[in-house]
Amino acid sequence: MCIRDRSNTSGQNLAVSPTDSDINNFGCVSPYSIVDNDVVVIKIGSNSLLGADGKSLDEEYMKKIADQVSVLMKDHGKKVVLVSSGACAVGVQTMGMSEKPESVEECQALSAIGQIHVITKWERAFAPHKLLCSQLMLTHHDFNIRSSCKNLIATLRVLFQWGIVPIVNENDPIATSELTVGDNDRLAALLSSQVAAKHLLLLTDINGLYDADPRFNPEAKKLDIIEAVTKTMLNAAGGPGAKGRGGMRSKLESARFAAACGVCAIIAHSREEQVVLRTILDENSQIGTKILPVPWDQPADDAVNERRRWIACKRTTGVVTVDQAGEDNFMARGDINTDHIVEHEGTFGVGDTVEVRDASGHEIGRAVTSISNTSFNDHSHDCLLYTSPSPRDS
């Protein structure tokens, strides 16, 4: 599904459009000043980072990843963001525990203990290449609040200019249910969307996506390329491993989101030889599964593009359902009349983000509202809607 927006509107709008002053005051920060430098976001899960004992970090493996990232940056001009898991697992090992506790508070404390070890090992891995690392600990708040998201992009841009490798993890010790991203697959996808990355590489302990479960079906075949992640694929995907929180379903959901933002997502086995270089530099590589990006019509103004990407990653507070005429207008022109909104759920006010669904219940976009849920019966006007990465099932 293409991401659109229309800036011409009259009357009462459901969605807030960027005014000229809004765009002019948006600042010089734009993901498109970053995407020119070819950003790659690489996520490595806990199961991939741990050694044979399943407890301690595999430093030799981390060095191999650093070797490949160095080649991408120094020889090919890539800007690399590394989303690294492993903090809680390392905290368990550091504290001499036999397994991860069930208590949320204890897991958060273990993450705080383990994070310092994770970042130290990455520093050591990159040191031979004379590459410095930085640490960014994020929650969903950093994406949901526009000023925070802008500051995040600005910080990353400076780090890229300085040739620094950002090491990112979710800020588990302070995350709450309202702030948590969920897992690092989703965090990597959010990051890739906001910096307009060219590639999102999700490294895991599975070769990619199969047409059946290879553990139980010896005839299962790996899917090298898929054009769209469907609901059937999501329902068939497995859950998280013993050490992590993601799993194949999370990776597919994250890849689906990133692809709808125009990012090429790849799910590959972390221990494949030279996996980073082969997947990123060889467009014909058959390593892992590649989820093709969805083309979207990009307005000439970078500030409008950045705003639309920010809307895509915001959390929603409500749902509006449109009839067929409303869907047709929405898909064709990006606007809709409130007369075609047949149902709405949730409590939302001006400036909140809502899902836009068709009559079958599929999300087809998102809108930043300029009227509240209590005002729908008082207005009948054209609406401007910003569509989000909400690819429809094929």
Side-chain angles (χ1 to χ4, degrees), residues 95-367:
M95 293 298 293
M97 297 179 176
S98 58
E99 58 184 17
K100 184 171 69 173
E102 296 183 2
S103 164
V104 173
E105 293 80 6
E106 288 180 303
C107 287
Q108 289 178 315
L110 289 170
S111 294
I113 294 168
Q115 181 62 30
I116 191 171
H117 295 281
V118 173
I119 196 68
T120 299
K121 296 294 174 57
W122 278 122
E123 284 184 319
R124 291 177 183 173
F126 281 102
H129 303 286
K130 300 188 184 304
L131 289 174
L132 298 176
C133 297
S134 62
Q135 178 176 264
L136 285 82
M137 305 295 290
L138 306 175
T139 68
H140 206 289
H141 173 87
D142 300 304
F143 298 94
N144 205 49
I145 305 302
R146 189 178 179 196
S147 59
S148 298
C149 195
K150 288 168 58 181
N151 289 340
L152 171 60
I153 296 172
T155 299
L156 285 169
R157 186 178 62 170
V158 173
L159 292 173
F160 291 154
Q161 290 173 345
W162 289 351
I164 308 296
V165 182
I167 309 293
V168 182
N169 195 5
E170 183 163 14
N171 198 353
D172 289 326
I174 67 166
T176 64
S177 58
E178 292 80 15
L179 296 179
T180 183
V181 174
D183 59 63
N184 276 345
D185 295 324
R186 293 181 175 88
L187 177 59
L190 288 172
L191 269 174
S192 69
S193 73
Q194 295 311 295
V195 299
K198 185 173 183 180
H199 291 99
L200 167 64
L201 177 57
L202 300 173
L203 295 179
T204 181
D205 54 1
I206 302 175
N207 291 329
L209 181 65
Y210 286 77
D211 60 0
D213 193 328
R215 297 173 298 178
F216 307 110
N217 186 349
E219 303 298 324
K221 296 181 180 179
K222 182 174 71 70
L223 304 176
D224 295 330
I225 298 176
I226 58 177
E227 295 185 358
V229 177
T230 66
K231 187 172 293 185
T232 300
M233 294 177 184
L234 292 174
N235 291 337
K243 302 295 181 181
R245 292 185 298 178
M248 183 54 71
R249 181 183 178 94
S250 172
K251 288 169 179 59
L252 287 176
E253 290 174 339
S254 301
R256 189 187 198 206
F257 176 88
C261 281
V263 181
C264 179
I266 305 166
I267 301 172
H269 199 296
S270 59
R271 299 291 172 145
E272 183 78 34
E273 188 68 25
Q274 298 288 297
V275 62
V276 173
L277 296 179
R278 293 166 67 190
T279 53
I280 300 303
L281 298 180
D282 183 2
E283 293 185 358
N284 298 317
S285 172
Q286 294 186 339
I287 297 176
T289 298
K290 180 183 295 185
I291 297 88
L292 298 179
V294 178
W296 56 291
D297 54 328
Q298 300 176 0
D301 198 306
D302 287 352
V304 176
N305 279 307
E306 183 173 324
R307 181 182 174 88
R308 292 162 65 205
R309 290 179 180 275
W310 167 69
I311 292 171
C313 75
K314 284 192 68 181
R315 284 190 166 159
T316 58
T317 57
V319 177
V320 296
T321 302
V322 298
D323 59 20
Q324 187 61 54
E327 179 185 354
D328 292 342
N329 290 338
F330 180 74
M331 300 303 292
R333 302 196 308 270
D335 52 39
I336 205 173
N337 191 287
T338 49
D339 287 341
H340 297 299
I341 297 175
V342 297
E343 186 179 7
H344 57 85
E345 305 171 17
T347 302
F348 49 87
V350 175
D352 288 339
T353 303
V354 295
E355 290 184 20
V356 182
R357 296 179 181 175
D358 63 15
S360 300
H362 295 106
E363 183 183 350
I364 59 174
R366 292 185 181 182

